[in-house]
């Protein structure tokens, strides 16, 4: 009712003004329409030409007038093209209303001059009738109301959309509760519902629309309202993860990681922003530098090869949004698996506990399976295999065998692939394990333990054909290259 009362009162004032000051009725009507149109067009132009520097200046001005935009200024270092477009659309309602007021003031000054000029020199004889004055005054008032309701509708809708995430952004919980409750009530009010139905939605969408050109050169269209919830949730989850070392992840961090994977998958804007940020971050980490104070994620030094491999993988995949989505999902699954199986907890403990955890049934097997599910992450199977084996023994003996024995070893593995083609994966792993140990024994070398055997057998089978059909072009050189990555040959 408050909204409606204010609107009715304002329109009534506009009508009364038009009835009293009738000499500038037409120019007043035209100037209000012109102010709205010019402000709208100028805002659209601003959105299309805004760059990071311009955006930062605008947001700083918004802060100077008391608007809560500190978070945007603090994170201005990540302004890439997509984020600039997103934030330009986010601040567009403020730009629009500021321009509307500015143009209206300018036209008002012009009207004052015209009013004085006409009053002194001209004495209009044909004055507008009362009905026309009332109609023009009402339209003038409604146009002004429409303009002011534009940012109100947009921002109230935004607050309503991110109400669940707002408590995570501030410590003032009581104020948050009051604001979100009021926003929900206003968002569902008769005035705003009617406004949206009567053309407000079209204007809001036009003002907050975003065109995203992906790394695949695909142009996608969306709006701030469709993206704001995902953007806020993404920021909250990233912040939550950033406060906790990976080795100390708990249920809250793992849930946040899962939500990030889902959010990125569903939002093209976030995908492009994440690609931009992650590519810069991984570039810095690969060069042993920090990314705006954020160091490379650290676990146990023994797990550095895996961490480095994942960083290099994400650095490459972040150049393509579709690859990035898939690889991030795989990475999320890897970390979830390490958490659920106790590996992350064991990282901060003694080596014996880490080894014992990795030796549990299914831990390494499932990790290899997750990595293998993605054609790009599959490339780090040798790293995972090497990790599992080197944590258990300083040497497998394989790097130290002579060339003749090594060639026999590689040939035996190739023959085992051929002989067991068509069998189940479990049968092939068992056969491969027997073949590896028999070959080592036949050449006078110590056999491997069950854990090492299972890792290398499952890894090599998973890597080349996942227990399915043997690739036609598999060669002994391919097998030797895999063993070289794993065992140092």
């Amino acid at each position: 009712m408050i909204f409606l009362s204010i609107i009715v009162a304002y329109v009534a004032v506009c009508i009364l003004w038009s009835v009293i000051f009738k000499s500038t009725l037409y120019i007043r009507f035209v100037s209000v329409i012109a102010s709205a149109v010019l402000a709208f067009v100028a805002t659209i132009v601003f959105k299309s030409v805004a760059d990071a520097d311009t955006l930062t200046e605008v947001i700083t001005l918004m802060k100077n007038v008391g608007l809560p935009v500190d978070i945007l200024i603090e994170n201005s270092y990540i302004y890439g093209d997509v984020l600039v477009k997103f934030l330009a659309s986010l601040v567009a309602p403020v730009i629009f209303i500021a321009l509307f007021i500015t143009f209206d003031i300018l036209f008002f000054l012009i009207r004052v001059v015209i009013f004085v000029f006409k009053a002194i020199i001209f004495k209009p004889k044909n004055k507008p009738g009362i009905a026309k004055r009332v109609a023009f005054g009402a339209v003038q008032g409604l146009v002004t109301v429409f303009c002011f309701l534009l940012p109100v509708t947009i921002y109230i809708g935004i607050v309503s959309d991110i109400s669940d995430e707002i408590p995570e952004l501030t410590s003032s919980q009581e104020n948050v509760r009051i604001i979100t409750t009021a926003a929900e009530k206003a968002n569902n009010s008769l005035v705003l519902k009617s406004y949206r139905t009567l053309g407000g939605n079209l204007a809001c969408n036009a003002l907050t629309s975003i065109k995203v050109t992906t790394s695949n050169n695909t142009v996608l269209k969306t709006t701030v309202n469709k993206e704001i919830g995902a953007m806020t949730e993404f920021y909250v989850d990233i912040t939550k993860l950033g406060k906790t070392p990976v080795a100390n992840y708990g249920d809250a961090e793992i849930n946040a990681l899962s939500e990030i994977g889902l959010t990125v998958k569903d939002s093209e804007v976030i995908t492009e922003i994440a690609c931009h940020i992650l590519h810069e971050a991984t570039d810095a980490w690969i060069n042993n530098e920090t990314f705006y104070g954020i160091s490379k994620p650290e676990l146990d030094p023994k797990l550095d090869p895996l961490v480095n491999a994942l960083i290099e993988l994400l650095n490459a995949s972040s150049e393509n949004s579709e690859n990035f989505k898939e690889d991030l999902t795989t990475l999320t699954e890897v970390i979830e698996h390490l958490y659920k199986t106790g590996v992350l907890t064991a990282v901060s403990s003694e080596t014996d506990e880490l080894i014992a955890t990795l030796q549990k049934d299914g831990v390494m097997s499932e990790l290899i399976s997750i990595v293998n599910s993605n054609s790009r992450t599959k490339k780090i199977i040798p790293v995972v295999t090497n990790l599992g084996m080197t944590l258990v023994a300083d040497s497998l003996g394989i790097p130290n065998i002579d060339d003749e024995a090594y060639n026999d070893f590689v040939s035996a593995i190739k023959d085992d692939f051929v002989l067991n083609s068509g069998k189940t994966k479990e049968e092939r792993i068992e056969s491969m394990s027997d073949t590896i140990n028999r070959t080592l024994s036949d050449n006078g070398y110590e056999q491997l333990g069950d854990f090492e055997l299972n890792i290398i057998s499952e890894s090599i089978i998973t890597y080349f054909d996942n227990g399915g059909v043997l690739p036609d072009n598999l060669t002994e050189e391919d097998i030797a290259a895999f063993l070289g990555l794993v065992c140092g040959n």
Side-chain angles (χ1 to χ4, degrees):
M1 288 301 294
I2 296 177
F3 263 150
L4 187 58
S5 299
I6 293 173
I7 291 171
V8 171
Y10 180 76
V11 173
V13 169
C14 288
I15 292 173
L16 182 62
W17 189 275
S18 294
V19 169
I20 297 173
F21 298 98
K22 46 191 175 291
S23 61
T24 56
L25 177 67
Y26 299 124
I27 193 171
R28 187 165 57 250
F29 176 79
V30 171
S31 66
V32 170
I33 301 294
S35 297
V37 172
L38 289 173
F40 196 85
V41 171
T43 304
I44 298 298
V45 171
F46 161 77
K47 282 176 50 187
S48 65
V49 301
D51 56 19
D53 292 336
T54 303
L55 189 62
T56 301
E57 291 176 5
V58 170
I59 294 175
T60 302
L61 288 173
M62 291 170 62
K63 179 183 178 181
N64 292 339
V65 297
L67 294 176
V69 292
D70 290 7
I71 191 173
L72 301 181
I73 295 175
E74 290 169 5
N75 294 278
S76 60
Y77 61 85
I78 62 174
Y79 288 177
D81 180 60
V82 176
L83 187 55
V84 166
K85 290 179 179 178
F86 174 82
L87 292 178
S89 295
L90 184 62
V91 303
V94 175
I95 302 294
F96 167 75
I97 201 63
L99 289 173
F100 175 74
I101 293 172
T102 301
F103 286 130
D104 199 42
I105 290 173
L106 290 175
F107 282 122
F108 172 76
L109 296 175
I110 294 172
R111 290 201 306 270
V112 169
V113 173
I114 293 175
F115 175 78
V116 172
F117 185 74
K118 290 179 70 175
I120 295 174
I121 300 178
F122 296 102
K123 299 289 184 184
K125 296 180 180 179
N126 298 322
K127 297 178 180 179
I130 187 66
K132 183 177 289 187
R133 280 179 268 165
V134 169
F136 274 47
V139 172
Q140 176 191 333
L142 289 173
V143 169
T144 303
V145 167
F146 188 92
C147 291
F148 275 92
L149 278 181
L150 192 54
V152 170
T153 302
I154 291 171
Y155 289 129
I156 284 179
I158 286 174
V159 172
S160 180
D161 288 338
I162 65 172
S163 58
D164 291 339
E165 282 73 37
I166 290 178
E168 301 285 348
L169 301 174
T170 177
S171 58
S172 182
Q173 299 303 307
E174 182 59 26
N175 290 339
V176 166
R177 187 186 64 78
I178 294 172
I179 292 171
T180 53
T181 301
E184 288 285 349
K185 186 176 180 180
N187 196 46
N188 295 313
S189 66
L190 177 62
V191 170
L192 292 194
K193 284 183 176 180
S194 301
Y195 176 79
R196 294 187 183 104
T197 303
L198 297 173
N201 252 351
L202 291 174
C204 290
N205 289 340
L207 213 58
T208 60
S209 63
I210 309 166
K211 283 187 178 181
V212 180
T213 303
T214 70
S215 54
N216 305 325
N217 292 320
T218 302
V219 179
L220 304 169
K221 293 183 180 179
T222 184
T223 64
V224 166
N225 291 78
K226 291 180 181 178
E227 298 285 342
I228 190 66
M231 287 289 295
T232 308
E233 185 177 345
F234 179 77
Y235 179 85
V236 168
D237 289 334
I238 284 290
T239 304
K240 190 180 297 180
L241 292 179
K243 293 177 180 177
T244 308
V246 178
N248 296 333
Y249 276 10
D251 289 339
E253 287 74 25
I254 294 300
N255 289 337
L257 190 64
S258 298
E259 289 172 1
I260 287 173
L262 293 173
T263 303
V264 169
K265 206 169 184 178
D266 295 338
S267 171
E268 292 295 341
V269 170
I270 292 179
T271 299
E272 294 302 318
I273 293 172
C275 282
H276 169 76
I277 297 171
L278 196 59
H279 193 72
E280 289 193 7
T282 51
D283 265 345
W285 295 336
I286 288 171
N287 293 316
N288 295 316
E289 301 170 351
T290 61
F291 175 66
Y292 290 95
I294 302 173
S295 301
K296 181 179 74 174
E298 293 182 355
L299 293 173
D300 186 283
K302 295 179 287 296
L303 299 180
D304 278 350
L306 178 59
V307 173
N308 292 336
L310 291 173
I311 287 174
E312 290 179 3
L313 173 75
L314 288 175
N315 181 258
S317 66
S318 59
E319 294 180 343
N320 181 292
S321 57
E322 291 305 315
N323 290 350
F324 174 71
K325 289 180 184 179
E326 295 176 6
D327 295 351
L328 183 63
T329 298
T330 304
L331 175 60
T332 299
E333 291 175 1
V334 166
I335 296 178
E336 285 181 356
H337 174 68
L338 295 178
Y339 169 71
K340 290 176 180 177
T341 54
V343 175
L344 289 185
T345 303
V347 163
S348 56
S349 304
E350 297 297 327
T351 303
D352 289 345
E353 183 177 342
L354 179 58
I355 293 170
T357 304
L358 288 170
Q359 286 180 309
K360 288 180 181 177
D361 185 40
V363 173
M364 290 300 295
S365 173
E366 180 63 21
L367 179 58
I368 291 170
S369 178
I370 292 171
V371 171
N372 186 68
S373 65
N374 181 323
S375 61
R376 285 172 303 282
T377 59
K378 176 179 179 176
K379 297 174 183 177
I380 67 172
I381 285 181
V383 179
V384 175
T385 309
N386 178 272
L387 171 67
M389 294 190 294
T390 54
L391 284 174
V392 177
D394 292 333
S395 172
L396 296 174
I398 297 174
N400 300 317
I401 63 179
D402 58 50
D403 290 342
E404 182 179 349
Y406 186 73
N407 291 335
D408 188 22
F409 183 73
V410 172
S411 178
I413 291 176
K414 169 69 184 300
D415 292 341
D416 191 274
F417 264 113
V418 176
L419 290 172
N420 292 285
S421 178
K423 292 185 179 180
T424 65
K425 186 174 182 180
E426 289 71 21
E427 291 173 330
R428 302 190 71 183
I429 291 172
E430 184 178 354
S431 176
M432 184 68 72
S433 297
D434 291 341
T435 296
I436 290 172
N437 258 355
R438 186 180 65 253
T439 307
L440 287 174
S441 181
D442 289 347
N443 285 277
Y445 292 95
E446 184 179 348
Q447 294 187 338
L448 303 179
D450 290 341
F451 179 68
E452 296 98 317
L453 277 174
N454 285 336
I455 290 176
I456 195 167
S457 298
E458 174 149 8
S459 297
I460 199 166
I461 289 171
T462 301
Y463 185 77
F464 286 112
D465 66 358
N466 200 25
V469 179
L470 181 72
D472 294 333
N473 58 348
L474 180 62
T475 64
E476 291 185 9
E477 286 75 16
D478 295 329
I479 295 171
F482 177 88
L483 293 174
L485 291 171
V486 172
C487 306
N489 277 300

